[in-house]
Amino acid sequence: MAKSTPVKKAWRSLSWLAVIIVGLFAINAAGVMWGGGSWTPKLALDLEGGTQIILAPKLESGQTVSQEQLDQAVTIIRQRVNASGVSEAEINTQSGQNIVVAIPGELDDETRNRIQSSSKLELRPVLVAGAPTTQGVGGTETPAPTPAPSLEATPSVAPSNGSDLNWVTPALQAEYENFDCASTQAESANAAPADKPLITCDTTGTVKYILGPVEVQGANISDASAGMETTQSGATTGRWVINLIFDNQGTKDFAAVSTRLFGLKATPPLDQFAFVLDGQVLSAPAMNGVITDGRPSISGNFTEASAKALADQLKFGALPISFTVQSSETISATLGSSQLEAGIIAGLLGLLLVVIYTLFQYRLLGMVTIASLVVAGVMTYIVITILSWREGYRLSLAGVAGLIVAIGFTADSFIVYFERVRDELREGRILTSAVEAGWKRAVRTIFASKATNLLAAIVLFLVAIGSVRGFAFTLGVTTIIDVIIVILFTHPMLQLLSRTKFFSSGHPASGLDPQALGAIYRGRAEFRKPSAAIDAKKAASSSREAEKRQTIAERKAAELDAASHGGSTGDDTKTTEGKES
């Protein structure tokens, strides 16, 4: 088998890069033709405009709304919007009273209803509970519920009540085993009719459930509050509980359910009852008694804050208070085209300065930097366009800022690499050898630097909200693309260029002229004859550096060579002329 040469490796890397770029264009083209995609990224609210809905709280006379209630409502509404696939939405409080929801682009009726309507709270009995694995039948990891069509989906024996395990058909069991708790954020991943079982997870994604049909509606909860648990003698236990009060229909329904579940106490988790909000389980307590007065309480490892939050969610169905739509209107871009133009001009100016600097510093070698930036720009554009199509990503002005900053980060990689190659030339290597040795030294620095950038982008994306996440997202995407470009384009291009006569001869315009770089020391006690074109100060500095780099054997060889020519062995070593290689 023929040994792989640097030239073959370079062409192989460039071929892989071409395959990736062509593949990305093919994916997007398929999306444009058959999937509703586009050749341009979607823009966020600040660049495109959209729809603004103002929700006002419904308050009784003398009632006020607290900031905690507004914050909780904002969190729930944001979850609803995110679940509908809309990104870069802005949801904030206004004047400590209203909630303003701004959605980029045209707002469809389904998303509008999700924002304006109250969440649906359901109470379902637990049939199966387990760890949130996706270990499917046959040991196969599958991220989506895809039971085989041949599995029986209809109970062979009609279930007699909500806790009857006959609800769990082979098809439902397979769907449960393949269900991924991460998909509970999807709009329809964990939805089911009220008279059918439901597969879902709790809000933390730590427990996966099969729940029976709805047996009590959340609307039948007339009140819920957090308080300290008390004993029969009236003493407090120090534990926080949530106290519920059902209306007449809820009291009747819950009495029947509690009687049945308490009778199943010996067969957990059939004795549990799940409070399901927006398709996710808020709490699934076990039934510890028959409750006929419609006043159950939920106990557990609650803190004061978590108990009050759960009580608010149960009391109001979803939102901590009821809201009504005060206004709904179309808004224009908050920043407008002038700010976008200013951002584009800033990006082009930054790119121009990078080009000027690289050409000044690296002469024609800087063309590799320019070409790399162009390829990185093309790949970034098509990746963001595909993400807009598939994931609903929208490019905001903060995202544009992330792209501009990425230009500098990308140039950093090239500078590190080029300087390593230059260092190798100064040490006397020929260009082809310097390119390989310089790459080995530079790639570790590049990886460490990019890993830091990517880690910062991930943390910022997870912690931040709003437009800052757009900045973090584009920064993370461009960091990954930067690494791909350096590996599959920049290094292979240098490998190929180092074989050309122009660069390998050290032409002064190449940016890799060994003499201009002060490369005097050539190793093995050999020194190049100082060129008259090199400044005397630079030559002296290089000689001192060369002397420092000499090994003991090289120094002795230089001393013997000097002695054989009748010279001294002191400072004359610095000016000893060696063979030109």
Side-chain angles (χ1 to χ4, degrees):
M1 183 176 180
K3 185 178 180 180
S4 180
T5 64
V7 173
K8 291 182 178 178
K9 290 181 179 178
W11 282 116
R12 190 183 305 133
S13 298
L14 291 173
S15 300
W16 274 113
L17 180 63
V19 169
I20 292 174
I21 293 178
V22 171
L24 290 174
F25 272 99
I27 292 173
N28 196 63
V32 172
M33 289 187 287
W34 300 297
S38 172
W39 287 109
T40 57
K42 295 179 181 177
L43 299 179
L45 187 68
D46 54 356
L47 298 178
E48 185 181 2
T51 303
Q52 178 178 276
I53 300 174
I54 298 179
L55 302 174
K58 295 171 63 177
L59 303 175
E60 298 178 358
S61 178
Q63 186 180 7
T64 59
V65 60
S66 66
Q67 187 61 43
E68 289 75 14
Q69 290 174 317
L70 288 176
D71 293 341
Q72 186 180 353
V74 166
T75 301
I76 294 173
I77 293 174
R78 181 174 288 113
Q79 291 173 347
R80 296 184 195 171
V81 173
N82 292 339
S84 62
V86 177
S87 62
E88 296 291 339
E90 295 181 3
I91 304 165
N92 302 296
T93 59
Q94 183 186 61
S95 303
Q97 187 75 11
N98 299 333
I99 293 178
V100 179
V101 183
I103 305 293
E106 296 183 1
L107 187 62
D108 57 80
D109 293 338
E110 192 171 357
T111 303
R112 184 186 297 275
N113 291 335
R114 288 177 68 87
I115 295 172
Q116 296 180 353
S117 63
S118 296
S119 292
K120 190 176 183 181
L121 179 65
E122 301 171 338
L123 283 72
R124 293 171 178 260
V126 176
L127 299 177
V128 178
T133 61
T134 56
Q135 193 72 27
V137 177
T140 304
E141 291 280 352
T142 53
T146 54
S150 59
L151 294 176
E152 182 61 46
T154 303
S156 56
V157 177
S160 58
N161 55 60
S163 298
D164 195 333
L165 289 177
N166 285 314
W167 287 108
V168 185
T169 63
L172 188 67
Q173 182 68 33
E175 186 177 351
Y176 167 76
E177 292 170 348
N178 289 293
F179 188 83
D180 187 353
C181 284
S183 66
T184 55
Q185 296 299 322
E187 182 180 0
S188 58
N190 52 339
D195 59 345
K196 299 293 182 183
L198 170 69
I199 299 175
T200 187
C201 300
D202 65 351
T203 54
T204 61
T206 56
V207 184
K208 187 163 61 174
Y209 296 97
I210 297 181
L211 305 177
V214 176
E215 296 197 306
V216 181
Q217 294 289 346
N220 295 129
I221 298 177
S222 59
D223 195 13
S225 61
M228 301 298 292
E229 185 182 43
T230 58
T231 62
Q232 292 182 347
S233 61
T236 61
T237 62
R239 299 172 59 193
W240 282 92
V241 297
I242 295 96
N243 299 309
L244 301 176
I245 300 177
F246 284 101
D247 59 13
N248 292 334
Q249 183 62 43
T251 299
K252 180 180 177 182
D253 294 341
F254 195 78
V257 173
S258 65
T259 301
R260 187 185 73 237
L261 296 187
F262 186 68
L264 298 171
K265 191 67 181 176
T267 55
L270 295 178
D271 61 337
Q272 291 180 251
F273 204 56
F275 294 81
V276 185
L277 178 65
D278 271 345
Q280 291 182 295
V281 175
L282 293 178
S283 178
M287 197 66 68
N288 292 324
V290 177
I291 301 171
T292 58
D293 61 355
R295 293 176 176 269
S297 63
I298 304 173
S299 60
N301 297 321
F302 295 110
T303 62
E304 179 180 0
S306 63
K308 288 183 177 178
L310 179 56
D312 284 342
Q313 288 177 310
L314 298 178
K315 180 179 179 180
F316 300 105
L319 301 175
I321 52 177
S322 298
F323 287 88
T324 182
V325 178
Q326 187 179 71
S327 66
S328 177
E329 58 183 356
T330 301
I331 58 175
S332 60
T334 55
L335 294 175
S337 57
S338 60
Q339 282 78 3
L340 177 60
E341 292 175 359
I344 294 175
I345 292 174
L348 293 176
L349 183 60
L351 181 62
L352 178 62
L353 292 176
V354 170
V355 169
I356 293 174
Y357 172 78
T358 53
L359 291 178
F360 174 78
Q361 181 70 15
Y362 300 107
R363 303 296 190 273
L364 288 182
L365 183 62
M367 295 301 295
V368 177
T369 300
I370 297 171
S372 299
L373 288 173
V374 171
V375 176
V378 171
M379 182 177 287
T380 302
Y381 181 86
I382 196 65
V383 166
I384 289 180
T385 303
I386 293 174
L387 290 175
S388 294
W389 163 49
R390 295 298 303 167
E391 303 298 329
Y393 173 76
R394 289 179 176 271
L395 186 63
S396 64
L397 198 61
V400 174
L403 297 177
I404 295 173
V405 172
I407 296 174
F409 287 170
T410 303
D412 281 349
S413 305
F414 308 143
I415 292 174
V416 169
Y417 182 25
F418 294 165
E419 289 301 328
R420 291 290 184 270
V421 173
R422 285 182 157 195
D423 286 343
E424 297 298 331
L425 289 174
R426 291 188 183 98
E427 293 181 358
R429 291 181 183 272
I430 61 174
L431 181 57
T432 53
S433 176
V435 167
E436 300 302 328
W439 172 249
K440 291 180 180 178
R441 295 175 60 185
V443 70
R444 293 191 295 268
T445 305
I446 293 173
F447 283 168
S449 173
K450 298 308 169 186
T452 304
N453 291 346
L454 186 60
L455 182 62
I458 292 174
V459 172
L460 191 61
F461 183 82
L462 295 177
V463 173
I465 61 174
S467 60
V468 179
R469 300 188 76 188
F471 173 83
F473 184 81
T474 53
L475 183 61
V477 169
T478 52
T479 299
I480 296 173
I481 292 177
D482 179 20
V483 174
I484 295 174
I485 295 300
V486 169
I487 295 174
L488 297 183
F489 184 79
T490 309
H491 177 50
M493 286 301 297
L494 247 65
Q495 286 178 309
L496 297 178
L497 291 176
S498 65
R499 265 74 180 175
T500 64
K501 183 179 179 181
F502 179 79
F503 283 92
S504 62
S505 64
H507 192 282
S510 67
L512 298 172
D513 179 12
Q515 291 187 353
L517 296 174
I520 295 177
Y521 179 64
R522 303 185 67 83
R524 297 183 64 83
E526 295 180 0
F527 295 83
R528 172 182 291 176
K529 182 178 181 180
S531 171
I534 300 177
D535 182 73
K537 186 177 180 180
K538 180 183 291 186
S541 175
S542 298
S543 297
R544 288 193 296 272
E545 181 65 21
E547 188 177 8
K548 291 179 183 178
R549 293 172 181 269
Q550 278 183 308
T551 62
I552 295 175
E554 290 171 348
R555 183 175 291 108
K556 288 182 177 181
E559 291 172 354
L560 291 174
D561 185 58
S564 66
H565 288 78
S568 64
T569 59
D571 294 336
D572 292 345
T573 303
K574 298 177 182 176
T575 57
T576 301
E577 295 181 5
K579 298 177 182 178
E580 296 283 353
S581 62

